[in-house]
Tab-separated table of all heavy atoms in Angstrom:
chain	number	residue	atom	x	y	z
A	212	VAL	N	12.606	16.278	-7.147
A	212	VAL	CA	11.363	15.553	-6.839
A	212	VAL	C	10.736	16.052	-5.563
A	212	VAL	O	9.856	15.438	-4.984
A	212	VAL	CB	11.596	14.041	-6.838
A	212	VAL	CG1	11.908	13.470	-8.207
A	212	VAL	CG2	12.686	13.662	-5.785
A	213	GLY	N	11.163	17.190	-5.072
A	213	GLY	CA	10.526	17.821	-3.972
A	213	GLY	C	10.963	17.328	-2.582
A	213	GLY	O	10.370	17.685	-1.595
A	214	ALA	N	12.015	16.574	-2.539
A	214	ALA	CA	12.536	16.107	-1.241
A	214	ALA	C	13.702	16.922	-0.805
A	214	ALA	O	14.267	17.777	-1.499
A	214	ALA	CB	12.975	14.655	-1.407
A	215	ARG	N	14.120	16.741	0.465
A	215	ARG	CA	15.225	17.551	1.030
A	215	ARG	C	16.489	16.697	1.161
A	215	ARG	O	16.465	15.582	1.679
A	215	ARG	CB	14.805	18.039	2.448
A	215	ARG	CG	15.660	19.120	3.015
A	215	ARG	CD	15.167	19.590	4.400
A	215	ARG	NE	15.560	18.597	5.427
A	215	ARG	CZ	16.756	18.548	5.962
A	215	ARG	NH1	17.788	19.391	5.591
A	215	ARG	NH2	17.102	17.711	6.867
A	216	PRO	N	17.557	17.107	0.591
A	216	PRO	CA	18.841	16.315	0.704
A	216	PRO	C	19.424	16.447	2.064
A	216	PRO	O	19.418	17.492	2.683
A	216	PRO	CB	19.727	17.027	-0.372
A	216	PRO	CG	19.018	18.110	-1.002
A	216	PRO	CD	17.799	18.367	-0.239
A	217	VAL	N	19.812	15.264	2.602
A	217	VAL	CA	20.391	15.226	3.953
A	217	VAL	C	21.956	15.347	3.717
A	217	VAL	O	22.446	14.627	2.918
A	217	VAL	CB	20.019	13.916	4.731
A	217	VAL	CG1	20.960	13.673	5.854
A	217	VAL	CG2	18.586	13.993	5.183
A	218	GLU	N	22.614	16.203	4.492
A	218	GLU	CA	24.004	16.347	4.389
A	218	GLU	C	24.649	15.723	5.667
A	218	GLU	O	24.178	15.987	6.748
A	218	GLU	CB	24.489	17.842	4.393
A	218	GLU	CG	23.669	18.748	3.489
A	218	GLU	CD	24.184	18.698	2.103
A	218	GLU	OE1	25.201	18.032	1.835
A	218	GLU	OE2	23.673	19.308	1.167
A	219	LEU	N	25.664	14.893	5.498
A	219	LEU	CA	26.351	14.299	6.639
A	219	LEU	C	27.594	14.964	6.988
A	219	LEU	O	28.234	14.620	8.055
A	219	LEU	CB	26.605	12.798	6.417
A	219	LEU	CG	25.319	11.872	6.210
A	219	LEU	CD1	25.754	10.438	6.057
A	219	LEU	CD2	24.453	12.095	7.432
A	220	ASN	N	28.076	15.912	6.236
A	220	ASN	CA	29.395	16.586	6.441
A	220	ASN	C	30.478	15.626	6.584
A	220	ASN	O	31.326	15.714	7.530
A	220	ASN	CB	29.288	17.525	7.714
A	220	ASN	CG	28.132	18.548	7.492
A	220	ASN	OD1	28.067	19.121	6.405
A	220	ASN	ND2	27.401	18.771	8.474
A	221	ILE	N	30.508	14.536	5.759
A	221	ILE	CA	31.711	13.739	5.702
A	221	ILE	C	32.067	13.614	4.253
A	221	ILE	O	31.247	13.708	3.315
A	221	ILE	CB	31.473	12.323	6.251
A	221	ILE	CG1	30.138	11.700	5.627
A	221	ILE	CG2	31.360	12.300	7.768
A	221	ILE	CD1	29.970	10.250	5.962
A	222	GLU	N	33.387	13.451	3.976
A	222	GLU	CA	33.907	13.550	2.584
A	222	GLU	C	33.894	12.162	1.925
A	222	GLU	O	34.422	11.201	2.593
A	222	GLU	CB	35.206	14.210	2.586
A	222	GLU	CG	35.295	15.650	3.023
A	222	GLU	CD	34.620	16.510	1.977
A	222	GLU	OE1	34.761	16.303	0.741
A	222	GLU	OE2	33.960	17.409	2.327
A	223	ALA	N	33.551	12.082	0.748
A	223	ALA	CA	33.724	10.803	0.010
A	223	ALA	C	34.334	11.185	-1.362
A	223	ALA	O	34.235	12.355	-1.911
A	223	ALA	CB	32.373	10.094	-0.287
A	224	GLU	N	35.127	10.248	-1.964
A	224	GLU	CA	35.743	10.555	-3.297
A	224	GLU	C	35.283	9.466	-4.302
A	224	GLU	O	35.105	8.284	-3.866
A	224	GLU	CB	37.270	10.619	-3.116
A	224	GLU	CG	37.743	11.963	-2.640
A	224	GLU	CD	39.239	11.999	-2.361
A	224	GLU	OE1	39.942	11.163	-2.922
A	224	GLU	OE2	39.589	12.835	-1.648
A	225	ASN	N	35.311	9.813	-5.538
A	225	ASN	CA	35.051	8.830	-6.541
A	225	ASN	C	33.733	8.076	-6.260
A	225	ASN	O	33.792	6.854	-6.048
A	225	ASN	CB	36.184	7.824	-6.675
A	225	ASN	CG	37.464	8.495	-7.146
A	225	ASN	OD1	37.442	9.471	-7.864
A	225	ASN	ND2	38.598	8.016	-6.591
A	226	THR	N	32.650	8.713	-6.132
A	226	THR	CA	31.489	8.106	-5.646
A	226	THR	C	30.622	7.478	-6.802
A	226	THR	O	29.666	6.714	-6.532
A	226	THR	CB	30.539	9.030	-4.867
A	226	THR	OG1	30.441	10.243	-5.667
A	226	THR	CG2	31.191	9.314	-3.555
A	227	GLU	N	30.971	7.852	-8.023
A	227	GLU	CA	30.106	7.390	-9.160
A	227	GLU	C	30.955	6.682	-10.177
A	227	GLU	O	32.000	7.130	-10.572
A	227	GLU	CB	29.482	8.698	-9.748
A	227	GLU	CG	28.442	8.361	-10.782
A	227	GLU	CD	27.524	9.623	-11.082
A	227	GLU	OE1	27.222	10.357	-10.090
A	227	GLU	OE2	27.147	9.827	-12.183
A	228	THR	N	30.466	5.524	-10.639
A	228	THR	CA	31.126	4.779	-11.720
A	228	THR	C	30.869	5.468	-13.037
A	228	THR	O	29.966	6.284	-13.124
A	228	THR	CB	30.629	3.320	-11.874
A	228	THR	OG1	29.275	3.393	-12.292
A	228	THR	CG2	30.766	2.668	-10.528
A	229	LYS	N	31.617	5.071	-14.055
A	229	LYS	CA	31.440	5.574	-15.425
A	229	LYS	C	29.928	5.376	-15.840
A	229	LYS	O	29.358	6.251	-16.579
A	229	LYS	CB	32.316	4.802	-16.412
A	229	LYS	CG	32.824	5.603	-17.523
A	229	LYS	CD	33.706	4.788	-18.454
A	229	LYS	CE	33.082	3.451	-18.795
A	229	LYS	NZ	33.863	2.663	-19.800
A	230	GLY	N	29.340	4.315	-15.429
A	230	GLY	CA	27.930	3.985	-15.837
A	230	GLY	C	26.879	4.740	-15.051
A	230	GLY	O	25.711	4.540	-15.256
A	231	GLY	N	27.325	5.551	-13.998
A	231	GLY	CA	26.345	6.351	-13.320
A	231	GLY	C	25.758	5.605	-12.053
A	231	GLY	O	24.956	6.045	-11.351
A	232	TYR	N	26.386	4.417	-11.688
A	232	TYR	CA	25.940	3.709	-10.453
A	232	TYR	C	26.839	4.237	-9.389
A	232	TYR	O	27.907	4.790	-9.575
A	232	TYR	CB	26.197	2.207	-10.633
A	232	TYR	CG	25.210	1.470	-11.398
A	232	TYR	CD1	25.406	1.088	-12.759
A	232	TYR	CD2	23.988	1.249	-10.894
A	232	TYR	CE1	24.426	0.476	-13.491
A	232	TYR	CE2	22.951	0.618	-11.636
A	232	TYR	CZ	23.230	0.217	-12.953
A	232	TYR	OH	22.302	-0.449	-13.670
A	233	ALA	N	26.300	4.017	-8.099
A	233	ALA	CA	27.114	4.384	-6.948
A	233	ALA	C	28.322	3.364	-6.870
A	233	ALA	O	28.184	2.243	-7.004
A	233	ALA	CB	26.269	4.392	-5.736
A	234	LYS	N	29.448	3.876	-6.456
A	234	LYS	CA	30.612	3.080	-6.503
A	234	LYS	C	30.819	2.543	-5.002
A	234	LYS	O	30.455	3.152	-4.015
A	234	LYS	CB	31.876	3.881	-6.816
A	234	LYS	CG	33.101	3.115	-7.252
A	234	LYS	CD	34.099	4.085	-7.841
A	234	LYS	CE	35.449	3.383	-7.895
A	234	LYS	NZ	36.498	4.280	-8.406
A	235	GLU	N	31.387	1.340	-4.866
A	235	GLU	CA	31.553	0.820	-3.563
A	235	GLU	C	32.583	1.649	-2.745
A	235	GLU	O	33.618	2.099	-3.365
A	235	GLU	CB	32.159	-0.635	-3.711
A	235	GLU	CG	31.898	-1.520	-2.507
A	235	GLU	CD	32.298	-2.959	-2.776
A	235	GLU	OE1	32.925	-3.236	-3.850
A	235	GLU	OE2	31.960	-3.810	-1.941
A	236	GLN	N	32.391	1.776	-1.469
A	236	GLN	CA	33.196	2.717	-0.669
A	236	GLN	C	34.074	1.861	0.356
A	236	GLN	O	33.820	0.681	0.634
A	236	GLN	CB	32.330	3.642	0.174
A	236	GLN	CG	31.623	4.633	-0.800
A	236	GLN	CD	32.550	5.540	-1.557
A	236	GLN	OE1	33.366	6.242	-0.957
A	236	GLN	NE2	32.440	5.659	-2.805
A	237	SER	N	35.093	2.524	0.835
A	237	SER	CA	35.918	1.818	1.874
A	237	SER	C	35.268	1.653	3.224
A	237	SER	O	34.275	2.294	3.500
A	237	SER	CB	37.258	2.696	2.087
A	237	SER	OG	36.796	3.863	2.805
A	238	ASP	N	35.822	0.657	3.921
A	238	ASP	CA	35.219	0.363	5.244
A	238	ASP	C	35.236	1.621	6.231
A	238	ASP	O	34.339	1.843	6.909
A	238	ASP	CB	36.017	-0.787	5.945
A	238	ASP	CG	35.748	-2.152	5.287
A	238	ASP	OD1	34.858	-2.101	4.402
A	238	ASP	OD2	36.417	-3.093	5.603
A	239	ASP	N	36.369	2.377	6.102
A	239	ASP	CA	36.451	3.587	6.958
A	239	ASP	C	35.401	4.545	6.586
A	239	ASP	O	34.691	5.084	7.484
A	239	ASP	CB	37.879	4.189	6.742
A	239	ASP	CG	37.926	5.580	7.407
A	239	ASP	OD1	37.771	5.465	8.696
A	239	ASP	OD2	38.102	6.551	6.776
A	240	PHE	N	35.178	4.740	5.316
A	240	PHE	CA	34.132	5.744	4.918
A	240	PHE	C	32.818	5.210	5.395
A	240	PHE	O	31.959	6.016	5.930
A	240	PHE	CB	34.097	5.859	3.344
A	240	PHE	CG	32.978	6.770	2.941
A	240	PHE	CD1	33.123	8.156	3.010
A	240	PHE	CD2	31.786	6.231	2.451
A	240	PHE	CE1	32.034	8.971	2.710
A	240	PHE	CE2	30.739	7.025	2.083
A	240	PHE	CZ	30.870	8.434	2.176
A	241	ILE	N	32.534	3.949	5.236
A	241	ILE	CA	31.149	3.398	5.662
A	241	ILE	C	30.937	3.575	7.110
A	241	ILE	O	29.873	3.934	7.566
A	241	ILE	CB	31.075	1.992	5.167
A	241	ILE	CG1	30.931	1.870	3.706
A	241	ILE	CG2	29.842	1.227	5.846
A	241	ILE	CD1	31.104	0.609	3.020
A	242	ALA	N	31.992	3.394	8.004
A	242	ALA	CA	31.877	3.563	9.485
A	242	ALA	C	31.571	4.970	9.786
A	242	ALA	O	30.667	5.235	10.567
A	242	ALA	CB	33.237	3.174	10.086
A	243	ARG	N	32.188	5.998	9.100
A	243	ARG	CA	31.931	7.341	9.431
A	243	ARG	C	30.493	7.765	8.970
A	243	ARG	O	29.795	8.425	9.655
A	243	ARG	CB	32.986	8.309	8.756
A	243	ARG	CG	34.300	8.319	9.518
A	243	ARG	CD	35.219	9.262	8.785
A	243	ARG	NE	35.616	8.822	7.491
A	243	ARG	CZ	35.622	9.643	6.421
A	243	ARG	NH1	35.305	10.858	6.488
A	243	ARG	NH2	36.051	9.147	5.257
A	244	GLN	N	30.171	7.104	7.814
A	244	GLN	CA	28.796	7.434	7.299
A	244	GLN	C	27.783	6.873	8.254
A	244	GLN	O	26.771	7.570	8.533
A	244	GLN	CB	28.720	6.688	5.961
A	244	GLN	CG	27.477	7.003	5.120
A	244	GLN	CD	27.345	6.129	3.911
A	244	GLN	OE1	27.667	4.918	3.917
A	244	GLN	NE2	26.892	6.740	2.816
A	245	GLN	N	28.070	5.670	8.814
A	245	GLN	CA	27.005	5.030	9.727
A	245	GLN	C	26.831	5.823	11.016
A	245	GLN	O	25.720	6.037	11.477
A	245	GLN	CB	27.432	3.631	10.067
A	245	GLN	CG	27.130	2.665	8.934
A	245	GLN	CD	27.658	1.277	9.144
A	245	GLN	OE1	28.422	1.079	10.041
A	245	GLN	NE2	27.333	0.390	8.247
A	246	ALA	N	27.969	6.410	11.511
A	246	ALA	CA	27.872	7.178	12.734
A	246	ALA	C	27.071	8.398	12.446
A	246	ALA	O	26.196	8.771	13.325
A	246	ALA	CB	29.288	7.538	13.172
A	247	ALA	N	27.358	9.150	11.459
A	247	ALA	CA	26.600	10.351	11.098
A	247	ALA	C	25.106	10.113	10.815
A	247	ALA	O	24.287	10.939	11.106
A	247	ALA	CB	27.288	11.123	9.948
A	248	MET	N	24.840	8.929	10.280
A	248	MET	CA	23.570	8.603	9.795
A	248	MET	C	22.646	8.198	10.958
A	248	MET	O	21.430	8.329	10.888
A	248	MET	CB	23.655	7.379	8.883
A	248	MET	CG	22.386	7.020	8.092
A	248	MET	SD	21.841	8.456	7.103
A	248	MET	CE	22.934	8.265	5.678
A	249	ALA	N	23.216	7.693	12.146
A	249	ALA	CA	22.421	7.232	13.239
A	249	ALA	C	21.379	8.181	13.657
A	249	ALA	O	20.183	7.899	13.925
A	249	ALA	CB	23.350	6.821	14.373
A	250	ASP	N	21.923	9.487	13.773
A	250	ASP	CA	20.966	10.552	14.245
A	250	ASP	C	19.783	10.767	13.274
A	250	ASP	O	18.709	11.078	13.713
A	250	ASP	CB	21.772	11.922	14.462
A	250	ASP	CG	22.717	11.788	15.564
A	250	ASP	OD1	22.567	10.861	16.420
A	250	ASP	OD2	23.643	12.614	15.652
A	251	VAL	N	20.116	10.724	12.056
A	251	VAL	CA	19.145	10.960	11.064
A	251	VAL	C	18.107	9.879	11.094
A	251	VAL	O	16.810	10.178	11.031
A	251	VAL	CB	19.838	11.061	9.549
A	251	VAL	CG1	18.693	11.188	8.568
A	251	VAL	CG2	20.858	12.110	9.508
A	252	LEU	N	18.599	8.628	11.181
A	252	LEU	CA	17.619	7.498	11.209
A	252	LEU	C	16.652	7.541	12.417
A	252	LEU	O	15.496	7.137	12.339
A	252	LEU	CB	18.418	6.151	11.233
A	252	LEU	CG	19.124	5.851	9.905
A	252	LEU	CD1	20.071	4.625	10.142
A	252	LEU	CD2	18.134	5.496	8.844
A	253	ALA	N	17.177	8.027	13.543
A	253	ALA	CA	16.350	8.050	14.769
A	253	ALA	C	15.158	8.917	14.575
A	253	ALA	O	14.207	8.847	15.414
A	253	ALA	CB	17.264	8.486	15.906
A	254	GLN	N	15.155	9.788	13.645
A	254	GLN	CA	14.031	10.752	13.456
A	254	GLN	C	12.925	10.194	12.559
A	254	GLN	O	11.817	10.810	12.425
A	254	GLN	CB	14.501	12.030	12.750
A	254	GLN	CG	15.707	12.730	13.395
A	254	GLN	CD	15.362	13.166	14.862
A	254	GLN	OE1	14.363	13.658	15.073
A	254	GLN	NE2	16.290	12.969	15.738
A	255	GLN	N	13.137	9.108	11.880
A	255	GLN	CA	12.262	8.702	10.781
A	255	GLN	C	11.132	7.699	11.124
A	255	GLN	O	11.283	6.903	12.039
A	255	GLN	CB	13.111	8.004	9.645
A	255	GLN	CG	14.329	8.841	9.183
A	255	GLN	CD	13.982	10.253	8.741
A	255	GLN	OE1	12.922	10.459	8.153
A	255	GLN	NE2	14.968	11.225	8.870
Side-chain angles (χ1 to χ4, degrees):
Chain A
V212 291
R215 197 178 74 79
V217 164
E218 314 276 358
L219 293 185
N220 300 318
I221 50 171
E222 293 291 322
E224 277 173 24
N225 299 325
T226 52
E227 189 163 322
T228 66
K229 214 178 52 175
Y232 283 104
K234 200 171 163 181
E235 203 173 11
Q236 295 294 306
S237 70
D238 287 354
D239 173 60
F240 176 78
I241 289 169
R243 282 183 296 135
Q244 188 187 39
Q245 283 172 352
M248 193 59 80
D250 292 341
V251 178
L252 288 169
Q254 308 297 319
Q255 309 301 330

